[in-house]
């Protein structure tokens, strides 16, 4: 007799849901570009959100501080040094104040963004890359080597640039890859940047060695017209989005070592908008964002069949034209946020953040959904990579209080904005309170030491334990973060001691009443 066993998959991401930001936390009155080019038009890092905008007489984009939500000033400064429409923008993965842009004017430009609020238009770039004969449609930074950027244009060439030079204008790339016969629609690196996958308008997916320019694999599937291609981290797989023979929107999964036939082909719907794929190698989750509607589908990728495991779909009535994603180091781990999108909604001149949340009851740091992740430190110099060295990304922990993850220090004190004055005042007041509290505690310790220097034994050490914090063994705080943590621990200890004192007062009153009752009873007899 055969028994039926349902195929249950245990997954910690089964119940992930999308949470749109409230109206106050959106970016309103943003003049989003009307370009029909198939790109994201948005780039995000923990400090800024950059978005391609409409601009008369040339190309421009906005760089807005990430915390400056609400309505945007119509005269807000722009980055406007291109002579043609801006087609793509990408933040440097290792410097949160450097952004690259490419344009219809056939140039790529590298911009330094000031660490304070923008007060005027930026028109002069730090570097200008001249090499393409026609408009440049895509740029990608190398994932592990500093100062290496790839660009591709309508001249069908991929150019590799080394920015590690003092020259403001670079006319010769370090390498030009000329193996394509049509416009390149998408580029994606594997984890250590040793392989480059491309999707071309000739419907072919190519796996290229970026240093030699040699084609390692080539896929041409008649049933799948590819638009975007994406490496799935270290899973040795590629994912492509496109359309089927019947013009249905489709996703396909490929084995990296054999691109002859896709492992999986899945039709999604009959809409015509482009599909943007995003992969999170930490959680093995794939997000497929639809251009032209408001939906975000998400899947979990497994190394064995059925490979693609559909989880859920975030639905919205607000259609997105472009999309930006926040790096992992910019997420809110206290809210169990594992991914964050920034939807460009041109119909409402709105940028709406959407957070992907894992529902958890505990408010403590969830180690299982936040493994070590790529930080803001390059693993290689540009020259090391060009010399043939491969290294994976430098990993960091997202646990609060661990190593600082921002690529640079916080905004300097010069040229503060009116928006940040109040927060600075509050921060200074908190620091002064923390210093006073620690000095007070140090004074108590000194008095105790003067009274009982010779009796500093194990028993005395037990008295010094403050909420599990040994003041003798722990070194003094070296950073502002450690100082504030000590202050909060001492505040907690004071609260606990107050509760103990209140309980003792209640016990004393109860004992007094009992003694009074006993006296009254003995007086009767």
């Amino acid at each position: 007799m055969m028994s039926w066993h349902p195929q249950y998959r245990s997954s910690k991401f089964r119940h992930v849901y999308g949470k749109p930001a409230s109206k106050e936390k959106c970016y309103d009155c943003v003049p989003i570009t009307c370009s029909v080019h198939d790109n994201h038009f948005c780039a995000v890092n923990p400090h800024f959100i950059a978005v391609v905008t409409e601009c008369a007489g040339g190309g421009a984009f906005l760089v807005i501080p990430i915390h400056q939500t609400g309505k945007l000033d119509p005269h807000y400064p722009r980055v406007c040094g291109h002579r043609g429409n801006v087609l793509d923008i990408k933040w440097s993965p290792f410097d949160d104040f450097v952004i690259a842009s490419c344009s219809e004017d056939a140039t790529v430009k590298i911009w330094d963004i000031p660490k304070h609020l923008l007060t005027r238009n930026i028109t002069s770039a730090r570097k200008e890359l001249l090499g393409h004969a026609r408009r440049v449609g895509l740029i990608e930074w190398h994932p592990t080597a500093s100062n290496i950027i790839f660009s591709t244009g309508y001249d069908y060439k991929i150019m590799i640039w080394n920015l590690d030079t003092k020259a403001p204008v670079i006319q010769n790339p370090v390498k030009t890859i000329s193996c394509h016969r049509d416009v390149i629609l998408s580029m994606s690196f594997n984890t250590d940047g040793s392989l480059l996958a491309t999707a071309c308008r000739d419907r072919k997916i190519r796996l290229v060695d970026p240093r030699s320019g040699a084609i390692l694999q080539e896929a041409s599937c008649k049933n799948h017209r590819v638009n975007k291609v994406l490496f799935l981290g270290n899973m040795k797989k590629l994912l492509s989005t496109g359309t089927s023979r019947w013009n249905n929107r489709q996703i396909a999964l490929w084995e990296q070592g054999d691109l002859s036939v896709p492992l999986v082909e899945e039709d999604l719907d009959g809409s015509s908008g482009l599909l943007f794929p995003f992969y999170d190698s930490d959680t093995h989750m794939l997000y497929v964002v639809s251009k032209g509607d408001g939906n975000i589908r998400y899947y979990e990728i497994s190394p064995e069949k059925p490979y693609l495991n559909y989880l859920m779909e975030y639905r919205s009535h607000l259609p997105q034209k472009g999309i930006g994603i926040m790096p992992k180091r910019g997420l809110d781990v206290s809210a169990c946020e594992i991914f964050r999108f920034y939807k460009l909604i041109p119909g409402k001149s709105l940028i709406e953040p959407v957070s992907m949340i894992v529902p958890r009851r505990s408010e403590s740091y969830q180690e299982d959904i936040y493994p070590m992740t790529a930080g803001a430190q390059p693993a290689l110099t540009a020259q090391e990579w060009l010399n043939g060295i491969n290294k994976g990304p430098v990993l960091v922990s997202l646990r609060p209080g661990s190593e600082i993850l921002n690529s640079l220090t916080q905004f300097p004190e010069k040229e503060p904005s009116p928006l940040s004055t109040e927060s600075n005042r509050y921060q200074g007041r908190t620091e002064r309170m923390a210093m006073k509290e620690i000095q007070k505690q140090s004074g108590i310790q000194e008095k105790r030491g003067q009274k009982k220097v010779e009796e500093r034994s194990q028993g005395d050490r037990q008295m010094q334990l403050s909420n599990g914090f040994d003041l003798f063994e722990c070194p003094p705080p070296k950073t502002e973060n450690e100082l504030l943590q000590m202050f909060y621990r001492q505040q907690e200890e004071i609260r606990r001691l107050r509760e103990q004192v209140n309980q003792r007062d209640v016990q004393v009153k109860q004992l007094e009443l009992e003694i009074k009752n006993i006296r009254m009873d003995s007086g009767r007899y």
Side-chain angles (χ1 to χ4, degrees):
M1 180 179 175
M2 293 179 65
S3 61
W4 180 69
H5 297 281
Q7 295 295 315
Y8 289 117
R9 281 187 64 257
S10 79
S11 169
K12 61 188 81 165
F13 304 110
R14 183 187 296 276
H15 302 294
V16 168
Y17 65 95
K19 182 181 179 184
S22 58
K23 182 71 173 173
E24 311 84 61
K25 293 185 179 177
C26 293
Y27 305 82
D28 206 357
C29 303
V30 181
I32 297 163
T33 180
C34 297
S35 170
V36 294
H37 198 72
D38 286 330
N39 265 349
H40 298 155
F41 298 125
C42 181
V44 187
N45 71 25
H47 285 121
F48 298 108
I49 175 168
V51 58
V52 179
T53 183
E54 283 298 297
C55 181
F61 59 96
L62 298 166
V63 175
I64 308 165
I66 203 77
H67 299 298
Q68 189 180 318
T69 53
K71 286 191 175 181
L72 188 73
D73 184 343
H75 303 293
Y76 189 81
R78 303 173 185 220
V79 182
C80 51
H82 283 288
R83 296 184 302 279
N85 288 334
V86 174
L87 299 180
D88 198 13
I89 48 175
K90 294 275 167 52
W91 287 105
S92 165
F94 310 120
D95 189 337
D96 286 346
F97 302 97
V98 171
I99 190 169
S101 62
C102 63
S103 164
E104 290 182 348
D105 64 10
T107 65
V108 178
K109 296 195 179 190
I110 312 297
W111 309 86
D112 285 326
I113 303 302
K115 298 173 181 62
H116 50 80
L117 287 177
L118 270 70
T119 53
R120 57 187 176 79
N121 286 354
I122 299 176
T123 54
S124 57
R126 193 227 298 177
K127 287 191 187 300
E128 189 171 4
L129 315 181
L130 306 174
H132 286 282
R134 299 181 65 188
R135 57 180 170 166
V136 186
L138 275 175
I139 44 176
E140 288 288 344
W141 292 89
H142 193 276
T144 60
S146 62
N147 290 321
I148 293 283
I149 191 167
F150 286 57
S151 64
T152 181
Y154 281 65
D155 53 6
Y156 313 156
K157 293 177 181 176
I158 297 174
M159 294 188 179
I160 306 172
W161 306 88
N162 180 4
L163 308 181
D164 209 356
T165 127
K166 293 182 179 177
V169 177
I170 306 174
Q171 297 192 351
N172 298 313
V174 291
K175 177 71 181 174
T176 300
I177 300 172
S178 306
C179 59
H180 296 81
R181 297 287 172 265
D182 209 330
V183 177
I184 298 155
L185 304 173
S186 174
M187 292 191 292
S188 176
F189 286 101
N190 65 344
T191 307
D192 64 4
S194 61
L195 294 172
L196 176 69
T198 64
C200 185
R201 195 176 280 169
D202 63 9
R203 303 184 183 183
K204 291 183 179 179
I205 297 172
R206 291 175 177 88
L207 201 57
V208 181
D209 181 337
R211 279 178 287 235
S212 69
I215 298 176
L216 306 176
Q217 288 272 329
E218 192 171 277
S220 178
C221 187
K222 294 178 181 177
N223 297 331
H224 180 71
R225 291 198 295 273
V226 62
N227 286 319
K228 298 290 179 187
V229 67
L230 185 68
F231 258 105
L232 299 184
N234 277 331
M235 296 197 78
K236 306 280 188 185
K237 289 180 175 57
L238 294 167
L239 182 114
S240 63
T241 63
T243 53
S244 71
R245 182 182 289 179
W246 313 109
N247 279 339
N248 290 324
R249 292 198 294 191
Q250 190 179 58
I251 56 178
L253 193 69
W254 308 79
E255 187 66 53
Q256 179 182 310
D258 179 14
L259 298 183
S260 57
V261 178
L263 294 171
V264 177
E265 279 183 333
E266 186 171 316
D267 285 15
L268 300 187
D269 55 36
S271 300
S272 58
L274 199 72
L275 296 173
F276 294 121
F278 298 94
Y279 181 65
D280 181 2
S281 56
D282 298 339
T283 60
H284 303 298
M285 284 184 68
L286 169 74
Y287 301 88
V288 181
V289 181
S290 308
K291 182 179 178 181
D293 58 49
N295 301 344
I296 302 173
R297 296 172 176 85
Y298 41 105
Y299 303 77
E300 198 170 3
I301 306 290
S302 56
E304 61 279 326
K305 287 184 179 181
Y307 306 115
L308 272 172
N309 302 289
Y310 176 77
L311 293 174
M312 198 76 73
E313 183 174 6
Y314 167 79
R315 291 177 176 271
S316 168
H317 67 281
L318 298 173
Q320 57 249 357
K321 180 189 181 70
I323 202 91
I325 59 166
M326 175 66 80
K328 293 299 280 283
R329 55 196 173 88
L331 299 180
D332 182 5
V333 296
S334 64
C336 295
E337 182 185 37
I338 57 169
F339 218 76
R340 190 190 304 161
F341 295 98
Y342 288 79
K343 293 174 51 173
L344 304 188
I345 305 164
K348 290 182 172 283
S349 299
L350 187 74
I351 304 176
E352 180 188 47
V354 176
S355 297
M356 308 308 292
I357 306 289
V358 178
R360 293 281 172 96
R361 289 181 181 174
S362 172
E363 294 180 1
S364 61
Y365 178 71
Q366 305 293 306
E367 196 84 49
D368 60 324
I369 62 174
Y370 296 115
M372 298 284 280
T373 191
Q377 189 73 26
L380 296 165
T381 64
Q383 199 56 51
E384 284 174 337
W385 183 77
L386 291 169
N387 289 342
I389 301 172
N390 293 322
K391 274 188 184 175
V394 177
L395 301 180
V396 293
S397 170
L398 296 179
R399 180 183 287 277
S402 60
E403 181 188 352
I404 299 299
L405 298 173
N406 289 334
S407 60
L408 291 177
T409 52
Q410 292 299 313
F411 295 106
E413 292 180 7
K414 63 178 181 178
E415 299 189 49
S417 71
L419 297 171
S420 61
T421 309
E422 192 61 36
S423 63
N424 290 342
R425 202 175 295 148
Y426 171 76
Q427 187 177 356
R429 192 160 62 241
T430 311
E431 288 175 17
R432 287 196 296 275
M433 287 170 64
M435 284 300 295
K436 283 181 183 177
E437 192 65 33
I438 290 168
Q439 286 170 3
K440 183 178 172 184
Q441 291 287 335
S442 301
I444 293 169
Q445 296 303 326
E446 284 175 15
K447 288 177 184 176
R448 285 183 180 172
Q450 288 168 2
K451 286 179 182 179
K452 294 188 177 183
V453 175
E454 68 281 354
E455 295 179 7
R456 191 173 288 173
S457 60
Q458 187 68 22
D460 190 25
R461 291 182 73 84
Q462 293 295 324
M463 295 294 291
Q464 302 301 325
L465 279 172
S466 172
N467 200 21
F469 179 68
D470 195 335
L471 296 172
F472 283 111
E473 290 181 357
C474 189
K478 294 177 182 175
T479 64
E480 177 191 326
N481 194 20
E482 290 178 8
L483 192 72
L484 288 172
Q485 284 183 358
M486 181 179 277
F487 169 64
Y488 294 141
R489 278 197 291 263
Q490 288 167 346
Q491 289 288 92
E492 178 66 21
E493 180 68 8
I494 290 167
R495 186 191 63 76
R496 193 176 62 80
L497 290 170
R498 278 181 181 155
E499 286 181 359
Q500 285 184 2
V501 169
N502 290 337
Q503 288 173 0
R504 301 267 167 86
D505 288 344
V506 171
Q507 288 174 357
V508 167
K509 287 180 182 177
Q510 287 176 345
L511 288 170
E512 286 176 350
L513 281 171
E514 286 178 12
I515 292 167
K516 190 175 179 181
N517 289 336
I518 290 168
R519 283 178 180 168
M520 287 176 66
D521 290 342
S522 59
R524 282 182 198 160
Y525 297 106

